[in-house]
Amino acid sequence: MSDIAQTPQPPYYAVIFTSERTEGDRGYGEMAEEMVRLASSQPGFLGVESARESVGITVSYWDSLEAIHQWKQNERHLLAQQMGIAEWYSRYKTRICRVEREYGYQAAP
Amino acid sequence: MSDIAQTPQPPYYAVIFTSERTEGDRGYGEMAEEMVRLASSQPGFLGVESARESVGITVSYWDSLEAIHQWKQNERHLLAQQMGIAEWYSRYKTRICRVEREYGYQAAP
């Protein structure tokens, strides 16, 4: 279950991954969980948020562009990216962003 | 129903709004639809993507920080923001980002 990520003071970086899925699971759910675990253990990882309805949106947060680059080149992640194109996604878009500012709200407990 | 936004070549700007809802609708669904329609008619609006499971993630795209500022000050949107805190959200985070780079994939039809 995804939560709101606890990120540090900006600037930091965000990868917005928006996707449309093919029909059926085809091993997607298991790999998606593995990728969240694996990303979370990478250097420079700050957090991840995820939800899916007609599109899926996963936003991962990182402390540098270099950390994003290293994660993209991770061997197991490269396999997941290949399977994403071969099996799981009919369409996706990845956007690399610099987070400039953030603010929020939390109801009193 | 949200789709993957068709955005121009970067740079442009993204507002990542991640939220947790209170129980019950309380007029939320209707206002959320109105805000998407209203945002879409604002100067500098480029697109929006949205999905909700345990958290909701809405990413809106804009051509400038000024367009984001103007949208935040829109009178009807100000009311929605107040009702968000009073009624609809137990917690949220808003992140203002500059999109530096994007790439994507689309399966052959």
Side-chain angles (χ1 to χ4, degrees), chain B residues 49-81:
Chain B
E49 298 164 345
S50 195
R52 177 171 299 278
E53 286 183 301
S54 58
V55 297
I57 305 175
T58 297
V59 190
S60 59
Y61 300 101
W62 302 88
D63 70 2
S64 67
L65 290 173
E66 177 58 24
I68 292 169
H69 178 73
Q70 288 301 322
W71 168 236
K72 188 165 166 56
Q73 299 305 320
N74 174 284
E75 197 171 335
R76 186 76 182 154
H77 188 204
L78 283 173
L79 173 65
Q81 291 170 63

Side-chain angles (χ1 to χ4, degrees), chain A residues 18-22 52 54-56 88-93, chain B residues 2-4 106:
Chain A
T18 311
S19 63
E20 290 172 6
R21 288 272 284 109
T22 52
R52 177 172 298 280
S54 59
V55 298
W88 298 322
Y89 299 118
S90 51
R91 196 165 153 233
Y92 66 69
K93 194 160 282 205
Chain B
S2 187
D3 202 351
I4 299 180
Q106 175 147 20

Side-chain angles (χ1 to χ4, degrees), chain A residues 37-45 62 67 70-71 74:
Chain A
R37 280 198 306 275
L38 188 57
S40 305
S41 72
Q42 299 304 302
F45 175 86
W62 302 87
Q70 289 301 323
W71 168 235
N74 174 283

Side-chain angles (χ1 to χ4, degrees), chain A residues 3 6-7 20 49 91, chain B residues 3 6 18 20 91 95:
Chain A
D3 203 351
Q6 293 304 316
T7 39
E20 290 172 6
E49 297 166 345
R91 196 165 153 233
Chain B
D3 202 351
Q6 294 302 316
T18 311
E20 290 172 5
R91 195 164 154 233
R95 295 176 174 97

Side-chain angles (χ1 to χ4, degrees), chain B:
Chain B
M1 293 286 274
S2 187
D3 202 351
I4 299 180
Q6 294 302 316
T7 39
Q9 282 285 91
Y12 54 88
Y13 292 86
V15 180
I16 305 171
F17 178 73
T18 311
S19 63
E20 290 172 5
R21 288 272 284 108
T22 52
E23 296 290 319
D25 185 70
R26 311 190 200 193
Y28 170 78
E30 201 174 327
M31 182 66 99
E33 284 178 22
E34 182 188 333
M35 285 304 110
V36 168
R37 281 197 306 276
L38 188 58
S40 305
S41 72
Q42 299 305 301
F45 175 85
L46 300 176
V48 62
E49 298 164 345
S50 195
R52 177 171 299 278
E53 286 183 301
S54 58
V55 297
I57 305 175
T58 297
V59 190
S60 59
Y61 300 101
W62 302 88
D63 70 2
S64 67
L65 290 173
E66 177 58 24
I68 292 169
H69 178 73
Q70 288 301 322
W71 168 236
K72 188 165 166 56
Q73 299 305 320
N74 174 284
E75 197 171 335
R76 186 76 182 154
H77 188 204
L78 283 173
L79 173 65
Q81 291 170 63
Q82 287 162 13
M83 292 185 67
I85 286 179
E87 294 282 345
W88 298 322
Y89 299 118
S90 53
R91 195 164 154 233
Y92 66 69
K93 195 160 280 205
T94 303
R95 295 176 174 97
I96 315 292
C97 314
R98 182 181 145 103
V99 181
E100 308 277 1
R101 203 151 53 80
E102 72 166 55
Y103 57 89
Y105 161 75
Q106 175 147 20

